[in-house]
Amino acid sequence: MIRQRPQLSAPAIGVAVALVLMVAAIVIPAATGWAVFANSFPPLHAQWRPHLGWGTLPAGVLAVLAARFGPRLAASLRWRRLVLVSMGGALVWIVSLALVDGPSGLGAILDGRYEYLQTARSITDIGATLHEFISRIPADSPGNWPTHIAGHPAGALLFFWVLVQVGLGSWLAAGLVVILLAATVPVAVAITLRRLGAEAAARRALPFLVMGPAAIWMGVSADGMFTAFAAWGLCFLAIAATSTSGRAAGAWGLAAGLVLGYCVFLSYGLLLLGVLAVTVLIIARSWRALPWALGGAGVVVVGFAAGGFAWWQAYPVLVERYWDGIATRRPLGYWIWGNLAALAVSAGPIVGSSIAATLAGMRRWREWASDHRVVVFLTLAATITIVLADASGMSKGEVERIWLPFVPWLLVGTALLPDGWRRWGFVTQLVFALLVQHLLFTGW
């Protein structure tokens, strides 16, 4: 009798690929001396610095409680209570991890010379700033913008300028605003799934959306704020597409267009949210919200252009600055896959299982239940988005934060994992997050 060797499951293969990528991306530059120009711990923009801090104990306690009760609460709580608990859990988790670096972990990075706040405080005429924004993108221009301001459309700087105007311009106040916005992301994603007919899937995925290593970068980087805008824009679109009232569809569609349109003025790469937006409409099998959404996005585009900032004129200038700077020193031969390793660190190794389960599920499309279809489509759309972003060559390094807006949608696929995989996968995510935050200094 010939015994057949047990075959590895798709989730096992996926997590193995994620781990191999991470190890290779760390070991190869260190062993070969390959200069990939990413601080001192590629593929992350981080430094090896084991440390403890104020948040160590609360983060550890929260991780234990979440591992013990999180999945059960996600399955049993009434929806409204679950939404509140999810936001509260995300908020405490982000703050606890941030405080491992001490009080400065709550947002001091936003006051750095490459960031937004110092410039936002210096602006006395926002109209003039918008008009001269493009001329100050080139590195050799008089009064050229700091790195992050030059690397993003004017909407990112405008957001922090507004915070300054309303008295929230200190690094602590701005950091807390970003943290609060970031904590709403699991809620937006869960509501999106529920509106698309996948509440059961939302409950299975929620623990991974609430707590994981992405929180290290979500809370105190501007990209965490970008992620919140993206998540709520897609949520509003799902509400619009599934509304039975024409008036509600129009109102929510317009809101979705305004928010998603503004996303494109927060980060050039968020133009790729179009893949997820179209996927939401395909899942809902309704296109009546599309004209309203396009109209809302058009209002944002025209508004910025009238104010002096034309996105389509700014982007080529930014590309030129990018390729005149660090991009020429960061080898594509490393970053084309090193980016994926950095993503696996940020999203956590379970992201490999999530994507693998999604791809495996596509082979059984005739057996799909409605919630299965929703999860597969959204996770696949997020995967395609990552492939496009990576292939563009405009993301070489620091994607652990740059690609944050796509991470929640990649993790939606955890709803497809077997119960055992989800249970132990969630524990792995928690332990991994604690290790990354305590062993590395990410600056965020």
Side-chain angles (χ1 to χ4, degrees):
M1 181 177 178
I2 300 176
R3 294 183 179 180
Q4 292 184 346
R5 293 182 179 179
Q7 294 184 345
L8 290 174
S9 65
I13 294 172
V15 76
V17 169
L19 291 171
V20 168
L21 272 174
M22 285 189 281
V23 171
I26 294 169
V27 170
I28 291 177
T32 64
W34 195 1
V36 296
F37 296 96
N39 211 325
S40 61
F41 197 85
L44 304 180
H45 188 73
Q47 300 171 3
W48 176 263
R49 191 187 298 176
H51 61 289
L52 302 175
W54 292 13
T56 298
L57 181 59
V61 171
L62 185 60
V64 171
L65 292 175
R68 179 69 177 85
F69 301 108
R72 184 187 304 176
L73 291 175
S76 62
L77 285 179
R78 291 188 177 182
W79 183 257
R80 290 186 179 181
R81 184 172 296 179
L82 177 60
V83 165
L84 293 175
V85 169
S86 296
M87 182 175 171
L91 182 62
V92 177
W93 179 242
I94 292 170
V95 170
S96 297
L97 289 178
L99 286 175
V100 172
D101 293 334
S104 64
L106 294 175
I109 185 65
L110 296 174
D111 221 2
R113 64 191 181 98
Y114 298 116
E115 292 288 337
Y116 302 92
L117 279 178
Q118 291 187 27
T119 301
R121 293 192 204 104
S122 70
I123 294 174
T124 57
D125 186 338
I126 190 62
T129 299
L130 291 175
H131 275 91
E132 66 185 20
F133 194 94
I134 296 175
S135 67
R136 295 174 63 178
I137 293 175
D140 58 356
S141 63
N144 63 83
W145 296 122
T147 303
H148 282 189
I149 295 175
H152 293 83
L157 177 60
L158 182 61
F159 174 86
F160 287 98
W161 177 81
V162 171
L163 291 188
V164 171
Q165 301 311 300
V166 298
L168 298 172
S170 69
W171 67 257
L172 179 58
L176 292 176
V177 169
V178 171
I179 288 171
L180 186 60
L181 287 172
T184 69
V185 170
V187 175
V189 177
I191 293 174
T192 301
L193 289 169
R194 188 172 189 250
R195 291 292 301 207
L196 294 175
E199 180 180 333
R203 290 177 177 274
R204 292 194 297 271
L206 253 177
F208 298 93
L209 300 174
V210 172
M211 296 177 66
I216 296 169
W217 295 272
M218 279 284 289
V220 291
S221 72
D223 299 89
M225 176 265 289
F226 301 167
T227 304
F229 271 80
W232 283 107
L234 292 169
C235 179
F236 293 163
L237 186 62
I239 294 173
T242 55
S243 293
T244 56
S245 163
R247 182 176 296 179
W252 285 108
L254 182 62
L258 290 171
V259 176
L260 291 173
Y262 196 75
C263 282
V264 179
F265 287 84
L266 290 171
S267 173
Y268 293 102
L270 291 187
L271 187 65
L272 293 174
L273 284 174
V275 176
L276 279 158
V278 171
T279 301
V280 167
L281 297 176
I282 290 174
I283 294 171
R285 298 181 181 180
S286 172
W287 298 91
R288 65 177 179 174
L290 181 60
W292 293 99
L294 291 175
V299 168
V300 177
V301 173
V302 171
F304 269 99
F309 177 82
W311 191 99
W312 54 93
Q313 293 176 355
Y315 182 67
V317 181
L318 176 275
V319 171
E320 186 175 348
R321 170 164 173 164
Y322 178 69
W323 285 104
D324 284 342
I326 190 67
T328 58
R329 292 186 289 165
R330 286 179 172 170
L332 186 61
Y334 173 81
W335 287 108
I336 196 69
W337 58 273
N339 281 340
L340 302 180
L343 172 69
V345 175
S346 177
I350 200 68
V351 72
S353 297
S354 178
I355 295 172
T358 298
L359 297 177
M362 291 178 63
R363 295 179 300 181
R364 302 189 302 273
W365 65 272
R366 292 182 183 276
E367 306 169 15
W368 287 358
S370 60
D371 64 337
H372 188 121
R373 175 174 60 89
V374 172
V375 170
V376 168
F377 276 29
L378 287 174
T379 309
L380 183 61
T383 304
I384 292 171
T385 300
I386 291 295
V387 171
L388 293 174
D390 200 25
S392 73
M394 289 297 292
S395 298
K396 292 199 290 185
E398 302 183 51
V399 299
E400 63 268 21
R401 60 171 182 79
I402 296 172
W403 288 352
L404 281 175
F406 311 123
V407 166
W409 308 99
L410 290 171
L411 293 177
V412 162
T414 56
L416 301 177
L417 298 176
D419 290 343
W421 266 98
R422 281 203 314 280
R423 182 171 61 253
W424 289 109
F426 183 49
V427 172
T428 299
Q429 291 285 94
L430 296 171
V431 173
F432 186 76
L434 292 172
L435 288 174
V436 170
Q437 182 65 344
H438 284 85
L439 294 177
L440 303 175
F441 180 70
T442 66
W444 306 101

